[in-house]
Amino acid sequence: MSISKIRTILYKTAKYLGDFNAVKRAIEKKDFTPILKRITRRIYGYITGKGMPK
């Protein structure tokens, strides 16, 4: 397995761990704001990522 594949797996795992953490914080606070912020950041990252050259 190459370093690039390991990096890709770790990055995808970190994204989902961040999502899980936002849900956990929302449950603890009894507030939807952490999830809304996470969704907004994911959309913003997706849009800006499309504009970057490969």
Side-chain angles (χ1 to χ4, degrees), residues 10-36:
L10 290 174
Y11 179 73
K12 287 180 182 180
T13 303
K15 280 196 323 185
Y16 291 114
L17 285 174
D19 293 345
F20 177 75
N21 192 33
V23 171
K24 182 180 169 192
R25 281 184 285 142
I27 291 170
E28 289 173 355
K29 288 183 171 183
K30 294 184 172 84
D31 185 19
F32 190 71
T33 307
I35 296 173
L36 186 61

